[in-house]
Amino acid sequence: MNLYKLLSPSQFKAVTIDNIPICILAGAGTGKTHVLIHRIAYLISKGAKPENILGLTFTNKAASEMRERVEQLIPEAFQRIVLGTFHKIGVNLLRRYGESVSVSSSFVIYDSKDSDKLLKEILNQLNISQDYFGLLKNQIEKWQNAGIMPDQIDNLEKRTVYAKRSYVLYVEKLREIGALDFNSILIKMNELLKFSDKSELIKSFFQHILIDEYQDTNSIQAEIVYSLASTAKTIAIVGDDDQSIYGWRGAKSHNMEEFLKKIPNTHLVKLEENYRSTSLILAAANSVISNNNKRLGKSLISKKGEGENVKVVKTSTDRQEAEFVINDIKIRMQNKCNLNEIAVLMRSNAQTRPFEEILRFSQIPYRLIGGMRFYDRKEIKDILSILKASLNFKSDIDWIRAASSSKFSIGLVTLSKIKNFSTFNNVPVSSVFLSLDLMQNAEIALKMANKIKNFTNSIINLKNLTQHANAFEVIQHTLNIINNKELANEERFKNIEQLLSAAQQYVDDCSVYNQNPSAIGFLENAALLSSSEENELLTKVQEGAISLMTIHAAKGLEFDIVYIVGMEEDGFPHLRAMGEQEGEKINKLEEERRLAYVGMTRARYELILTYAKRRLVRGQIQNRIPSRFLSEFSSKKFFDKTF
DNA sequence: TAGTATGTAATTTTT
DNA sequence: TTACATACTA
């Protein structure tokens, strides 16, 4: 392999420096993935065993893209490389070694909706009003993201007393149930690497570490990386502090700087040659982002020539804005453009509406990326809760949900009786379900108790089935338990069919990778998938369609032509993202600006930014002023489309 | 128990 | 405006 031929000088450095830790500051479109896969190939060519290489990414999509590209480069090794998201790798390690950090090997994953439900129940139990749910959840997540356990919290302010109380019970409940939420997967993974008796063993597998999107790691993920770095032979982190857009979820863009300080002798390599966008687009993006103060500092240089000016378009209303964009696309269609290369980006999901309406009316194919997670849909959660109930008799929320969505007409009154009885006597809900005596104590009428018995019997049957049947067969069987009403609704039935084909797909995939196609594994996959990834897996790939999505969802993607719509104050930067305190305000504004930067740098050849003078917000017409970001760059052409 | 009526609150969402 | 949750009635 001739590396010189394929890599620029700085890329070459990023690939081949292997005697000291390396931090690669990779701007948008500078060939980051290219560098990562070549680095893997380089390490293998220097004698590293593929199974000792660990690549950590943030999305499954990024992981599978990397895997595919490694396959092309070194087909003999790609299957042995350990490549996945922090969460996925964490789950795999915990299934194997979890016992040493008191995690049962058969733990289930609670996704965010499950966790919310559990927390709501805890608030009930503690007699705390649901009005505080958001506030408390926020605080608990902050603690989790920082890796702070309930017993480490002191110096309580008045407002955190309740948060701590709920946090204590929340953690306790999760442990009792044998469940891990997303954050505790990372917390336990960190514990495993840092304090457990398996720490040295695990770290000895992972000799070469590569970490992608480092700017979006939270404190625990950084801790995990430091643990790995302490024994690894080589380590490379890759990221772009200007593209850190998940601060609201605990990401610390500052982690890159911290890595440089904390890991001695780390070499910093900057990738600043942009192979994606034309220079006028880059000039605009650079100019916007230069208004941020907290930066490691870098400036992208285009390798693609000047190109066209960025366009800024003003319209009268949001409706007109959508009409303008779609007309513009129609003109392009007459010149036979590739619709896959056009994206309409926006700050929030709710803004897609007028675009969807007009696109459908104009019969222009489009795909909506993101939004509601497939596995968050009611009918899907209902089916999976039946399955989860059969796999875990301690998961109260699944037992309640399963019962109420079953065909046995067990209603709210009965269920709240059982729930109250179970909390009061401190036994799992399933124990009440399973015992006629306890049901009697809970004042359940005999007729109802018999219905419940039918329900529990079918759950037990399902449990037995999971012992030997594969994921597809198991899911199919749950359809016998679910309320027929769910199957009657056409929309829902379609989704359920998709669930079945996803299960079939999973079984097939397992046979390729020689894994057990169990229902547990399928659930795990379902929980760890993001909405945009599901989109790709579940919907048939549609040829030639424009993409509609939030800027967050567009991260990592690129298009020839990009429209960013709704460039108005309070919309973007978003009103709710601006925070209350002065100091916080600046941080939040900087994150909004990074988001603008991410959006702008998605475009290869043309970037069109639009805003409306008036917009319908929650049924109310609002007057709007153009986004401050529009005045932060000069390489633009202005069009007034108001009339 | 199940269907209907009212109230309420609304970013972003890699896992 | 709309989605969702809770409250109310048949």
Side-chain angles (χ1 to χ4, degrees):
Chain A
M1 176 176 50
N2 187 348
L3 288 172
Y4 287 99
K5 248 177 154 173
L6 300 160
L7 301 166
S8 73
S10 45
Q11 287 180 334
F12 181 78
K13 267 200 202 164
V15 166
T16 56
I17 291 179
D18 61 352
N19 55 336
I20 47 170
I22 174 167
C23 169
I24 304 163
L25 188 60
T30 55
K32 182 189 68 175
T33 313
H34 190 68
V35 162
L36 279 172
I37 57 162
H38 279 88
R39 187 172 169 90
I40 292 173
Y42 174 79
L43 291 170
I44 292 174
S45 77
K46 287 283 230 161
K49 287 190 190 144
E51 54 271 27
N52 291 331
I53 296 177
L54 171 68
L56 290 172
T57 60
F58 273 79
T59 58
N60 295 296
K61 199 161 107 195
S64 51
E65 191 194 327
M66 245 163 92
R67 193 179 293 282
E68 276 165 30
R69 288 177 61 178
V70 172
E71 184 184 0
Q72 286 167 9
L73 210 57
I74 26 174
E76 65 284 0
F78 85 99
Q79 266 183 326
R80 279 147 64 207
I81 294 165
V82 186
L83 200 56
T85 62
F86 274 90
H87 290 81
K88 184 87 193 177
I89 303 291
V91 164
N92 290 346
L93 288 175
L94 288 165
R95 283 261 180 258
R96 228 165 139 183
Y97 307 109
E99 307 278 357
S100 64
V101 287
S102 53
V103 171
S104 133
S105 62
S106 61
F107 67 86
V108 293
I109 298 170
Y110 267 26
D111 66 23
S112 25
K113 283 209 167 166
D114 298 328
S115 320
D116 284 2
K117 244 191 171 154
L118 182 64
L119 184 58
K120 278 182 183 161
E121 228 135 78
I122 285 167
L123 297 193
N124 265 336
Q125 212 173 318
L126 292 174
N127 263 324
I128 299 170
S129 158
Q130 297 291 333
D131 294 350
Y132 297 109
F133 171 78
L135 218 70
L136 296 178
K137 182 188 147 157
N138 220 296
Q139 180 59 54
I140 290 174
E141 268 185 350
K142 259 187 201 155
W143 280 325
Q144 284 187 313
N145 283 327
I148 298 168
M149 297 310 287
D151 54 332
Q152 294 169 299
I153 302 164
D154 39 39
N155 294 331
L156 280 186
E157 298 165 44
K158 236 189 263 163
R159 56 195 195 90
T160 44
V161 172
Y162 287 107
K164 181 179 174 177
R165 234 176 261 171
S166 350
Y167 188 26
V168 169
L169 203 57
Y170 178 73
V171 170
E172 208 176 284
K173 274 276 174 206
L174 280 180
R175 212 205 44 233
E176 258 175 43
I177 297 163
L180 295 177
D181 66 9
F182 290 144
N183 291 323
S184 31
I185 292 171
L186 298 179
I187 291 174
K188 286 293 175 187
M189 180 184 181
N190 184 37
E191 225 177 295
L192 197 59
L193 285 165
K194 224 178 191 167
F195 307 117
S196 78
D197 53 342
K198 294 291 186 291
S199 150
E200 294 308 311
L201 174 72
I202 296 169
K203 285 197 278 185
S204 72
F205 303 147
F206 302 137
Q207 296 172 7
H208 304 278
I209 318 283
L210 302 99
I211 297 152
D212 195 11
E213 308 273 21
Y214 201 79
Q215 77 281 354
D216 284 325
T217 50
N218 66 20
S219 302
I220 306 255
Q221 286 165 321
E223 286 296 307
I224 291 171
V225 173
Y226 293 140
S227 287
L228 292 168
S230 67
T231 54
K233 285 186 185 150
T234 73
I235 181 161
I237 64 163
V238 186
D240 178 0
D241 55 337
D242 289 335
Q243 292 189 67
S244 173
I245 54 176
Y246 284 96
W248 50 276
R249 274 175 135 243
K252 297 252 184 306
S253 59
H254 153 87
N255 278 348
M256 288 197 83
E257 252 178 297
E258 199 190 77
F259 185 94
L260 286 167
K261 285 186 197 135
K262 234 178 181 159
I263 307 291
N265 300 324
T266 299
H267 190 76
L268 178 70
V269 175
K270 290 185 186 179
L271 303 181
E272 294 176 300
E273 291 169 337
N274 176 296
Y275 302 92
R276 181 185 294 156
S277 314
T278 55
S279 70
L280 283 170
I281 292 174
L282 276 190
N286 279 336
S287 169
V288 169
I289 198 67
S290 70
N291 287 284
N292 274 4
N293 287 316
K294 286 175 216 142
R295 303 178 64 208
L296 282 170
K298 91 184 126 32
S299 202
L300 295 183
I301 301 146
S302 172
K303 296 295 237 179
K304 257 188 147 171
E306 195 173 54
E308 283 188 50
N309 255 314
V310 176
K311 294 188 186 91
V312 174
V313 180
K314 169 187 178 184
T315 65
S316 305
T317 64
D318 49 339
R319 185 87 196 171
Q320 260 185 26
E321 179 187 46
E323 275 165 9
F324 164 77
V325 168
I326 290 161
N327 269 329
D328 204 45
I329 293 172
K330 278 186 188 160
I331 295 167
R332 294 174 193 282
M333 284 171 79
Q334 285 166 4
N335 299 323
K336 298 227 164 26
C337 68
N338 179 358
L339 290 182
N340 288 326
E341 287 303 337
I342 300 177
V344 181
L345 307 182
M346 45 211 102
R347 171 73 245 258
S348 63
N349 271 317
Q351 288 170 271
T352 55
R353 176 170 297 272
F355 290 91
E356 280 194 85
E357 279 170 13
I358 301 175
L359 282 167
R360 225 168 329 174
F361 180 78
S362 318
Q363 300 198 320
I364 299 174
Y366 68 93
R367 73 189 123 231
L368 192 70
I369 296 169
M372 172 83 128
R373 252 176 53 109
F374 176 75
Y375 289 100
D376 275 347
R377 298 205 130 87
K378 184 188 171 296
E379 58 276 20
I380 303 302
K381 287 227 92 168
D382 285 344
I383 291 175
L384 296 185
S385 72
I386 291 174
L387 177 53
K388 276 153 85 184
S390 78
L391 290 169
N392 186 338
F393 279 39
K394 286 179 185 158
S395 187
D396 291 357
I397 54 171
D398 285 315
W399 272 76
I400 300 280
R401 178 159 202 152
S404 71
S405 49
S406 76
K407 65 181 175 190
F408 299 100
S409 27
I410 304 165
L412 236 81
V413 179
T414 312
L415 289 173
S416 63
K417 273 187 201 164
I418 295 182
K419 209 157 66 183
N420 289 338
F421 183 85
S422 99
T423 21
F424 193 74
N425 295 286
N426 205 19
V427 290
V429 160
S430 65
S431 312
V432 188
F433 272 88
L434 286 159
S435 149
L436 280 174
D437 284 346
L438 289 185
M439 276 197 278
Q440 224 164 26
N441 293 344
E443 293 174 349
I444 306 281
L446 194 67
K447 203 173 150 196
M448 182 47 76
N450 276 324
K451 277 195 206 170
I452 289 174
K453 209 176 147 200
N454 288 334
F455 167 72
T456 45
N457 280 339
S458 58
I459 294 290
I460 292 167
N461 284 339
L462 187 64
K463 182 190 165 80
N464 293 332
L465 189 71
T466 57
Q467 304 297 313
H468 56 267
N470 70 33
F472 176 77
E473 294 158 341
V474 171
I475 302 270
Q476 204 164 37
H477 188 84
T478 57
L479 300 186
N480 300 327
I481 304 171
I482 197 92
N483 191 334
N484 290 323
K485 221 177 43 206
E486 305 255 19
L487 302 167
N489 179 310
E490 197 184 338
E491 181 77 15
R492 292 193 165 162
F493 186 68
K494 265 193 203 151
N495 288 331
I496 291 169
E497 278 182 323
Q498 274 199 332
L499 178 70
L500 277 170
S501 51
Q504 186 57 57
Q505 183 66 48
Y506 176 76
V507 172
D508 295 346
D509 287 350
C510 281
S511 80
V512 174
Y513 285 91
N514 231 341
Q515 281 163 352
N516 177 15
S518 69
I520 292 194
F522 178 68
L523 277 180
E524 202 167 283
N525 247 341
L528 296 180
L529 229 49
S530 80
S531 59
S532 44
E533 289 162 351
E534 290 160 357
N535 245 307
E536 242 158 73
L537 277 174
L538 294 165
T539 59
K540 281 161 221 105
V541 182
Q542 194 181 9
E543 278 312 308
I546 73 163
S547 301
L548 233 57
M549 66 186 112
T550 63
I551 302 173
H552 280 91
K555 193 176 138 194
L557 306 177
E558 53 185 302
F559 301 89
D560 286 349
I561 298 148
V562 170
Y563 298 85
I564 305 180
V565 301
M567 294 294 299
E568 296 139 31
E569 284 293 299
D570 293 353
F572 193 18
H574 198 283
L575 179 71
R576 302 276 308 211
M578 298 296 275
E580 288 99 49
Q581 296 125 338
E582 261 326 294
E584 203 190 4
K585 243 183 200 165
I586 292 174
N587 285 336
K588 298 259 170 113
L589 176 63
E590 294 211 340
E591 179 150 319
E592 291 290 300
R593 192 175 278 116
R594 289 193 292 270
L595 196 54
Y597 176 74
V598 168
M600 293 170 81
T601 51
R602 297 309 95 195
R604 289 198 195 100
Y605 300 107
E606 279 188 68
L607 176 62
I608 301 107
L609 308 170
T610 67
Y611 68 93
K613 265 168 57 186
R614 273 170 285 121
R615 178 177 296 273
L616 202 64
V617 181
R618 288 176 218 156
Q620 305 265 300
I621 293 173
Q622 273 183 16
N623 287 320
R624 304 227 129 192
I625 51 173
S627 169
R628 69 189 76 187
F629 300 145
L630 292 175
S631 57
E632 290 177 346
F633 66 98
S634 52
S635 56
K636 62 188 161 216
K637 272 189 175 156
F638 182 78
F639 296 86
D640 191 335
K641 297 279 176 184
T642 55
F643 43 97

